[in-house]
């Protein structure tokens, strides 16, 4: 129990003891006054109670419950700043308290009356004279015959005590929350107390540090340093030095220390203020850089008062308007701000919004006007509020915006021409924003902002489900999509569209889906025509009796027809895994490679040759091949196609013919010499013998020589017969 509570308890006890005495004296004095006819206001007991109340600084009050009358000591009037007369009504007293305190006091009175509970409250009030006070109000019920007849109590002005408590709390808060480490050390370098910053700077808890000495985390500080610095701080009153502190994790950092001595309850302590200066130079450099940026930035910076007066500007602000800095710093923002709404600077709006961005017109010193963009906010410094305005000349931007609007119109035109529309879906609001071309693709009458439901309804069932799944995955999982879908527009027009959606993620959240939609009906139709052409082309290739193969620039086989596969004895998939070297005869490969090189270099458009290929069963066969070059028929790059015909039988006939010719030559060389003229038929080539008979040449020569004959074709006859075979 503190001194104030003791005083109040004692005073209440005095009140209780005196109440009976006062009643007796009042009765006696009343009878005496009636007998003497004298107006006697206070008895000696009353006077004693007033004197005690005044000396203790505590007002005493009493409330007669039945008559609702109050009895106050003079100190009560003093606390409420009232004239020393009759106490006011109870409700008038309650009205002097703040809302919260009034509620507490009324509830306390009710509990005292109904439950006979005493109370002791600290309350906030405003006196009759308008002064703000804190008071301590206590009270109790006086019960007679089981019934509350009186409420009595005390009232004490504790404003000074509250101020002292708040000062102590503020001092402790300042100590705990100070931005520098504050240490209290005893004479032996033991840590007695440390604030939060001191703990966090070293990584220790408060309890850990209070069991340590300064040497435990200052590796450069020795006991001798401690003694020397202690003498210095005693002599000088305070000292400033720099040292090193070591954190709990072993990391060291430089500090600046300011120390002084305090004496408390006969004990001397060293109070140390510790500041981490590892970034001091960096901060100083940053401040210098910041000032340099302010002075050299390409944006005008204004410091404005509440009235709109220009307090200070940077060089760019002055240069922007053609004034000197001193000229601008003596003006008001209204002197340069023109255009609609002359109250462009509105402190009240700025106070509510904290920061504002707006576009205005500013008049230069020469009278010309430029458009500017102003970003402003409030700054509190030195107990004052200022507006900081960042002003940028947006003349060029305005021109660019006009150009952008023109480009936007152009893009709209282009989108209409190429049938591409753009859209954006806001995940938060569910709104859809789209270009005009989107509406044209869907054949909607309303030009923009098509709903998702309306757009989805235009697609055929299977395609609608595909689009809905892709759209949901984009919203929920951030998966982009690109689809080709079949739809029917709101006017019943069948279309093919290519649509894409790409999630936009901000702060790890999907905020919107944006994409495009293109009418690709004409492209689809062209693809169908191409596919039909490809099918016809493939049919021609497959029906061709010639073997047709395609290789890429590296010699890999990428396509063949069935005739080609049958020619080599492979299945088509097997051939597509081979290189054309795998099928060529080694003796023919180099010759063919030279021709391929000349074809690749553009020296010739195509070439033909006879070469041998290897069949799957291992034997070689002769072919006649014609090779040409084509680009981009199977994708980007160069490709080579070849047409092959099997000439194995022709080559066999040629070999047979050559063999017969060689044998004939050898036979003729062995024929016996014939003299004279031999009559021979110019048509059938028969020779007439000496007896006048016509005989075949072979028989005539065989009868007269040792020559023998074998029959074959001469080259001319062979070619003639071959043509007949081909024609047949």
């Amino acid at each position: 129990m503190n001194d104030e509570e003791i005083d109040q308890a004692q005073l209440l006890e005095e009140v209780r003891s005196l109440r009976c005495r006062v009643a007796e004296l009042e009765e006696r004095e009343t009878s005496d006054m009636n007998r003497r006819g004298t107006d006697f206001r206070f008895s000696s007991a009353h006077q004693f109670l007033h004197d005690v109340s005044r000396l203790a600084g505590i007002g005493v009050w009493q409330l007669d419950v039945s008559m609702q009358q109050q009895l106050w000591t003079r100190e009560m009037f003093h606390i409420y700043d009232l004239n020393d007369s009759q106490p006011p009504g109870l409700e008038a007293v309650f009205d002097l308290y703040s809302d919260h305190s009034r509620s507490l006091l009324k509830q306390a009175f009710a509990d005292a009356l109904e439950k006979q509970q005493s109370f002791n409250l600290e309350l906030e009030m405003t006196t009759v004279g308008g002064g703000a006070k804190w008071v301590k109000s206590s009270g109790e019920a006086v019960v007679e015959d089981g019934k509350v007849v009186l409420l009595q109590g005390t009232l004490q002005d504790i404003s000074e005590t509250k101020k002292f408590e708040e000062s102590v709390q503020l001092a402790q808060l300042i100590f705990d929350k100070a931005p520098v480490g504050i240490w209290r050390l005893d004479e032996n370098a033991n840590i007695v107390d440390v604030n939060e910053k001191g703990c966090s700077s070293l990584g220790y808890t408060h309890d850990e540090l209070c069991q340590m000495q300064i040497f435990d985390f200052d590796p450069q500080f020795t006991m001798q340093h401690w003694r020397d610095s202690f003498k210095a701080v005693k002599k000088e009153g305070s000292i400033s030095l720099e040292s090193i502190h070591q954190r709990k994790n072993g990391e060291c950092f430089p500090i600046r220390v300011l120390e002084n001595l305090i004496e408390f309850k006969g004990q001397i302590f060293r109070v140390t203020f510790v500041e981490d200066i590892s970034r001091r130079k960096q901060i100083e450099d940053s401040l210098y850089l910041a000032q340099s940026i302010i002075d050299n930035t390409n944006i005008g910076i204004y410091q404005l008062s509440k009235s709109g007066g220009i307090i200070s500007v940077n060089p760019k602000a002055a240069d922007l308007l053609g004034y000197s800095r001193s000229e601008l710093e003596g003006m008001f923002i209204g002197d340069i701000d023109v255009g609609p709404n002359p109250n462009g600077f509105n402190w009240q709006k700025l106070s509510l919004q904290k920061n504002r961005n707006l576009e205005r017109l500013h008049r230069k010193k020469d009278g010309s006007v430029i458009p500017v963009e102003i970003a402003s906010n409030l700054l509190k410094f030195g107990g004052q509020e200022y507006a900081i305005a960042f002003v940028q000349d947006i003349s060029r931007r305005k021109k660019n915006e006009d150009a952008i609007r023109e480009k936007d119109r152009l893009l709209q035109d282009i989108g209409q021409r190429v049938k591409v529309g753009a859209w954006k879906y806001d995940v938060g609001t569910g709104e859809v924003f789209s270009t005009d071309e989107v509406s044209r693709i869907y054949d909607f009458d309303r030009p923009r902002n098509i709903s998702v439901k309306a757009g989805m309804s235009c697609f055929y069932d299977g395609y609608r489900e595909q689009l809905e799944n892709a759209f949901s995955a984009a919203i929920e999982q951030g998966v982009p999509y690109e689809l080709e879908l079949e739809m029917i527009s709101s006017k019943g027009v069948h279309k093919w569209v290519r649509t894409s959606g790409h999630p936009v993620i901000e702060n790890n959240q999907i905020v919107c889906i944006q994409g495009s939609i293109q009418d690709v009906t004409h492209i689809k139709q062209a693809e169908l025509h191409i596919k039909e052409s490809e099918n016809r082309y493939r049919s021609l290739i497959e029906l061709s009796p010639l073997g047709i193969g395609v290789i890429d620039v590296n010699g890999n086989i990428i396509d063949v027809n069935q005739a080609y596969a049958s020619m080599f004895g492979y299945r088509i998939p097997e051939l597509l895994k081979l290189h054309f070297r795998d099928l060529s005869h080694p003796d023919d490969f180099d010759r063919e490679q030279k021709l391929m090189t000349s074809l690749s270099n553009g020296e010739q458009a195509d070439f033909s040759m006879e070469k041998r290929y290897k069949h799957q069963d291992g034997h070689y066969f002769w072919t006649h091949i014609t090779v040409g070059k084509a680009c981009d028929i199977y994708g980007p790059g160069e490709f080579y196609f070849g047409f092959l015909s099997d000439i194995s039988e022709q080559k066999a006939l040629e070999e047979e013919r050559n063999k017969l010719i060689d044998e004939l030559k050898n036979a003729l060389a062995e024929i016996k010499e014939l003299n004279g003229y031999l009559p021979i038929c110019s048509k059938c080539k028969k020779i007439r013998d000496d007896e006048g008979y016509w005989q075949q040449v072979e028989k005539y020569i065989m009868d007269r020589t040792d020559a023998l004959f074998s029959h074959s074709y001469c080259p001319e006859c062979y070619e003639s017969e071959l043509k007949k075979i081909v024609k047949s």
Side-chain angles (χ1 to χ4, degrees):
M1 184 179 293
N2 56 35
D3 294 340
E4 293 175 357
E5 291 172 342
I6 292 171
D7 290 341
Q8 287 183 334
Q10 291 174 345
L11 195 55
L12 284 172
E13 184 62 32
E14 290 286 344
V15 170
R16 282 191 290 270
S17 63
L18 287 173
R19 186 173 63 84
C20 296
R21 178 63 176 160
V22 167
E24 294 175 2
L25 291 174
E26 282 181 341
E27 184 178 356
R28 185 184 305 169
E29 289 168 358
T30 301
S31 62
D32 291 342
M33 285 188 292
N34 291 334
R35 185 175 61 253
R36 298 193 303 267
T38 306
D39 184 11
F40 190 77
R41 187 174 179 187
F42 292 107
S43 69
S44 59
H46 278 97
Q47 187 61 45
F48 175 73
L49 184 60
H50 283 294
D51 291 341
V52 171
S53 174
R54 178 178 55 80
L55 291 172
I58 300 174
V60 179
W61 57 269
Q62 193 175 69
L63 173 65
D64 187 317
V65 175
S66 61
M67 303 190 63
Q68 290 293 306
Q69 291 182 343
Q70 296 187 81
L71 176 64
W72 285 6
T73 63
R74 294 188 184 93
E75 189 63 23
M76 290 286 292
F77 292 95
H78 175 70
I79 292 173
Y80 283 118
D81 287 344
L82 285 168
N83 294 327
D84 187 1
S85 59
Q86 290 296 323
L90 193 59
E91 286 298 326
V93 174
F94 286 153
D95 288 342
L96 296 174
Y97 290 88
S98 66
D99 292 342
H100 178 65
S101 296
R102 184 186 312 118
S103 176
L104 292 176
L105 188 57
K106 283 186 174 183
Q107 185 63 45
F109 267 65
D111 291 341
L113 289 170
E114 297 171 6
K115 304 176 184 178
Q116 300 177 13
Q117 292 181 352
S118 61
F119 60 88
N120 192 357
L121 303 172
E122 290 186 358
L123 305 170
E124 190 176 9
M125 62 168 288
T126 302
T127 68
V128 175
K133 288 184 179 181
W134 278 90
V135 296
K136 179 177 286 186
S137 178
S138 60
E140 63 180 8
V142 177
V143 182
E144 292 181 359
D145 298 329
K147 183 179 179 181
V148 177
V149 295
L150 294 174
L151 291 181
Q152 61 184 18
T154 61
L155 188 71
Q156 183 182 8
D157 185 351
I158 60 170
S159 300
E160 293 300 322
T161 303
K162 289 294 280 187
K163 288 181 181 178
F164 177 75
E165 290 176 354
E166 290 176 355
S167 297
V168 172
Q169 292 173 356
L170 179 60
Q172 185 62 45
L173 181 64
I174 291 172
F175 175 81
D176 291 337
K177 303 298 181 181
V180 296
I182 304 178
W183 306 74
R184 184 157 59 94
L185 303 95
D186 64 16
E187 296 182 78
N188 298 315
N190 298 308
I191 310 299
V192 179
D193 197 6
V194 59
N195 70 344
E196 294 176 3
K197 183 64 176 180
C199 297
S200 63
S201 66
L202 295 178
Y204 291 99
T205 65
H206 182 273
D207 292 340
E208 288 175 330
L209 284 173
C210 289
Q211 296 176 6
M212 300 168 65
Q213 290 184 306
I214 192 170
F215 317 114
D216 296 329
F217 51 82
D218 193 330
Q220 294 185 352
F221 212 64
T222 65
M223 182 57 77
Q224 186 59 44
H225 289 137
W226 173 262
R227 296 191 187 99
D228 294 341
S229 63
F230 201 87
K231 292 177 182 179
V233 74
K234 273 188 175 181
K235 180 180 179 181
E236 302 294 336
S238 65
I239 61 171
S240 178
L241 54 91
E242 292 186 2
S243 186
I244 298 292
H245 274 185
Q246 187 175 36
R247 294 189 174 94
K248 189 175 183 179
N249 62 8
E251 180 185 353
C252 293
F253 61 98
I255 59 166
R256 180 178 178 272
V257 178
L258 177 64
E259 286 187 311
N260 56 21
L261 294 180
I262 62 170
E263 185 174 349
F264 182 71
K265 293 185 178 181
Q267 188 175 357
I268 296 177
F269 298 97
R270 290 176 70 169
V271 178
T272 304
F273 298 87
V274 179
E275 180 186 7
D276 183 352
I277 61 172
S278 58
R279 296 188 61 192
R280 185 178 64 186
K281 286 295 183 182
Q282 181 180 354
I283 292 173
E284 290 175 354
D285 292 343
S286 297
L287 290 174
Y288 176 78
L289 177 61
Q291 187 60 48
S292 178
I293 291 172
I294 290 173
D295 290 340
N296 296 285
T297 185
N298 201 33
I299 297 176
I301 302 176
Y302 293 72
Q303 182 186 1
L304 306 172
S305 66
K306 283 188 175 182
S307 62
I310 301 174
I311 299 172
S312 65
V313 296
N314 70 338
K316 180 61 181 178
D319 181 63
L320 195 64
L321 299 178
Y323 290 97
S324 67
R325 294 178 68 179
S326 60
E327 286 175 327
L328 271 179
E329 289 169 358
M331 299 169 65
F332 285 84
I333 194 69
D335 296 332
I336 60 175
D337 190 82
V338 296
N341 182 17
N343 297 319
F345 177 76
N346 190 312
W347 185 271
Q348 185 178 5
K349 287 185 178 179
L350 189 58
S351 299
L352 293 174
Q353 298 177 2
K354 301 304 181 186
N355 57 72
R356 295 184 68 199
N357 289 337
L358 66 158
E359 293 183 5
R360 301 291 296 170
L361 296 175
H362 277 186
R363 181 182 288 113
K364 301 175 69 173
K365 187 176 181 179
D366 61 9
S368 60
V369 175
I370 58 172
V372 296
E373 181 181 65
I374 303 174
S376 57
N377 53 31
L378 292 182
L379 173 68
K380 290 186 177 180
F381 181 74
Q384 298 290 327
E385 277 190 321
Y386 304 97
I388 302 298
F390 300 87
V391 180
Q392 186 173 10
D393 183 356
I394 57 173
S395 302
R396 179 176 296 180
R397 194 184 78 187
K398 283 293 185 181
K399 292 180 181 178
N400 292 337
E401 287 176 353
D402 292 339
I404 290 172
R405 281 191 289 270
E406 180 63 24
K407 288 181 180 179
D408 184 60
R409 185 192 62 77
L410 181 61
L411 288 174
Q412 289 283 354
D413 292 343
I414 292 174
Q416 184 176 357
R417 292 177 183 277
V418 298
K419 300 183 179 180
V420 177
W423 57 267
K424 179 180 178 180
Y425 173 77
D426 191 310
V427 175
T429 63
E431 291 184 286
V432 179
F433 305 92
S434 60
T435 61
D436 294 342
E437 186 58 28
V438 175
S439 298
R440 279 191 285 269
I441 291 174
Y442 282 96
D443 287 337
F444 286 139
D445 294 331
R446 189 161 54 89
R448 294 198 175 198
N449 303 341
I450 302 169
S451 68
V452 174
K453 183 178 180 180
M456 293 287 188
S457 66
C458 291
F459 292 90
Y460 291 106
D461 291 343
Y463 293 110
R464 184 190 310 120
E465 182 179 357
Q466 185 180 358
L467 180 57
E468 287 174 347
N469 293 336
F471 192 71
S472 298
I475 295 175
E476 297 169 3
Q477 305 171 26
V479 180
Y481 65 86
E482 184 167 351
L483 304 170
E484 283 193 1
L485 308 171
E486 193 174 6
M487 64 171 287
I488 183 165
S489 74
S490 63
K491 294 182 179 179
V493 180
H494 173 269
K495 295 182 181 181
W496 278 90
V497 294
R498 180 180 294 123
T499 182
S500 64
H502 301 276
V504 177
I505 301 175
E506 294 179 2
N507 298 324
N508 296 323
Q509 287 188 336
I510 300 170
V511 296
C512 68
I513 310 295
Q514 59 187 22
S516 63
I517 184 168
Q518 180 182 11
D519 185 348
V520 295
T521 306
H522 62 292
I523 297 176
K524 273 292 185 180
Q525 291 173 347
E527 288 177 352
L528 290 174
H529 290 312
I530 292 172
K531 190 171 183 179
E532 291 174 358
S533 299
E534 288 179 349
N535 291 336
R536 288 195 295 270
Y537 162 75
R538 173 56 63 181
S539 298
L540 291 174
I541 290 178
E542 293 300 330
L543 294 174
S544 173
L546 297 177
I548 301 175
V550 180
I551 63 173
D552 61 17
V553 70
N554 297 315
N556 300 304
I557 299 173
I558 62 171
D559 195 11
V560 297
N561 66 348
Q562 186 57 49
Y564 188 101
S566 300
M567 191 178 297
F568 285 86
Y570 287 96
R571 292 183 299 108
I572 291 177
E574 294 174 333
L575 283 171
L576 299 182
K577 298 177 183 179
L578 300 177
H579 190 278
F580 86 100
R581 181 195 295 270
D582 300 329
L583 303 175
S584 299
H585 193 286
D587 295 343
D588 298 334
F589 185 78
D590 291 341
R591 178 166 55 95
E592 184 179 18
Q593 192 63 39
K594 290 180 181 179
L595 292 172
M596 291 288 290
T597 301
S598 66
L599 188 65
S600 177
N601 294 338
E603 297 175 5
Q604 57 188 80
D606 56 65
F607 68 84
S608 297
M609 64 176 293
E610 293 180 356
K611 63 169 291 186
R612 287 161 287 183
Y613 277 111
K614 187 177 183 180
H615 195 273
Q616 186 188 29
D617 61 12
H619 80 271
Y620 287 95
F621 61 95
W622 279 95
T623 65
H624 181 275
I625 181 171
T626 299
V627 180
K629 181 173 70 171
C631 295
D632 300 328
I633 60 173
Y634 289 89
E638 293 184 353
F639 299 89
Y640 303 94
F641 59 88
F643 298 91
L644 283 72
S645 57
D646 188 345
I647 60 170
S648 299
E649 293 184 2
Q650 177 181 335
K651 294 298 286 186
L653 290 174
E654 289 180 357
E655 290 178 2
E656 180 67 21
R657 182 195 66 185
N658 292 335
K659 181 178 179 182
L660 291 174
I661 291 173
D662 290 342
E663 290 177 353
L664 180 59
K665 288 180 179 179
N666 293 333
L668 290 175
E670 295 176 0
I671 294 176
K672 296 178 181 179
E673 182 179 359
L674 296 175
N675 293 323
Y677 291 98
L678 292 175
I680 185 169
C681 177
S682 60
K683 183 176 182 181
C684 66
K685 306 304 181 185
K686 291 182 179 181
I687 297 176
R688 189 181 63 188
D689 59 12
D690 298 338
E691 297 177 357
Y693 295 101
W694 295 89
Q695 296 180 343
Q696 294 288 336
V697 174
E698 296 93 327
K699 185 175 185 310
Y700 184 85
I701 294 174
M702 288 173 63
D703 290 343
R704 291 165 174 73
T705 65
D706 295 330
L708 297 175
F709 288 90
S710 65
H711 293 83
S712 64
Y713 288 104
C714 68
E716 290 80 2
C717 294
Y718 177 81
E719 289 291 340
S720 175
E721 290 297 322
L722 185 60
K723 288 179 180 179
K724 292 178 181 180
I725 293 172
V726 172
K727 287 181 179 181
S728 63

